[in-house]
Amino acid sequence: MRIALLGGSFDPIHEGHLRIAKTALAKLPIDEVWFLPCKDAPLKKGQQVAFHHRCAMVKLAIAPYRKMKLCTLEGELDGVSYTIRTIKELKKRFPHDTFSFLILLIYLHIHKQLHYLPTTYSHFVDKYARSLLTTYFLFSIVYDIHL
């Protein structure tokens, strides 16, 4: 199965997140989008809504979409949530699946661990993925992950 991962704090999940997932499903050769809430974001300081509450919000928001799933893996891992560690664990648990990562360009310059991912640029997903609630979604990129 080809799975696109959409990670974030989802504090809260909103229409912009859903639009990115819907666009990816419509335009990319993927089977599902997995929402991957971050348990303990290394770049976010301050109080977040509890992990289990954010997961519940995601679950409610994606309930109408059969090709969108909630992945709570980061809740099982100890310590700060680092993308590379999560992806390695996913590849270990699901060795026959192919993972891609939906990444917002706004985060590329601050997401320090991206250079550790052995990736190949694949597609732009909705060049101007805009929503009424958010204006910072300029581009989404999919990286095929080959670990």
Side-chain angles (χ1 to χ4, degrees):
M1 184 165 22
R2 290 187 52 92
I3 300 158
L5 302 171
L6 181 57
S9 62
F10 302 113
D11 191 9
I13 188 169
H14 51 72
E15 184 59 35
H17 297 121
L18 296 175
R19 175 135 186 223
I20 290 169
K22 288 187 240 181
T23 302
L25 285 164
K27 295 187 177 188
L28 298 174
I30 58 174
D31 300 305
E32 293 181 344
V33 172
W34 288 6
F35 285 74
L36 190 63
C38 181
K39 183 178 86 174
D40 185 14
L43 301 177
K44 289 204 173 186
K45 303 296 180 215
Q47 185 66 30
Q48 282 187 341
V49 172
F51 179 75
H52 68 280
H53 290 305
R54 290 183 284 120
C55 288
M57 286 189 284
V58 170
K59 192 172 184 179
L60 283 171
I62 66 174
Y65 308 101
R66 66 180 182 83
K67 292 187 175 189
M68 295 182 197
K69 309 289 185 213
L70 171 64
C71 178
T72 59
L73 173 66
E74 289 198 355
E76 300 171 29
L77 302 176
D78 292 327
V80 176
S81 300
Y82 288 104
T83 305
I84 190 66
R85 185 177 69 162
T86 303
I87 291 170
K88 284 181 177 179
E89 185 63 29
L90 283 169
K91 290 298 288 179
K92 189 187 323 176
R93 292 183 186 198
F94 304 97
H96 302 294
D97 293 324
T98 302
F99 290 94
S100 298
F101 207 81
L102 297 169
I103 302 173
L104 303 178
L105 278 182
I106 192 81
Y107 296 118
L108 286 181
H109 70 285
I110 61 170
H111 209 304
K112 306 276 190 249
Q113 56 194 310
L114 280 180
H115 70 278
Y116 294 114
L117 292 177
T119 60
T120 307
Y121 171 75
S122 179
H123 296 278
F124 279 105
V125 180
D126 202 3
K127 189 173 181 180
Y128 299 101
R130 296 182 185 147
S131 76
L132 296 174
L133 299 175
T134 60
T135 57
Y136 60 87
F137 292 126
L138 299 178
F139 299 92
S140 295
I141 297 179
V142 173
Y143 285 83
D144 287 335
I145 301 165
H146 306 283
L147 295 177

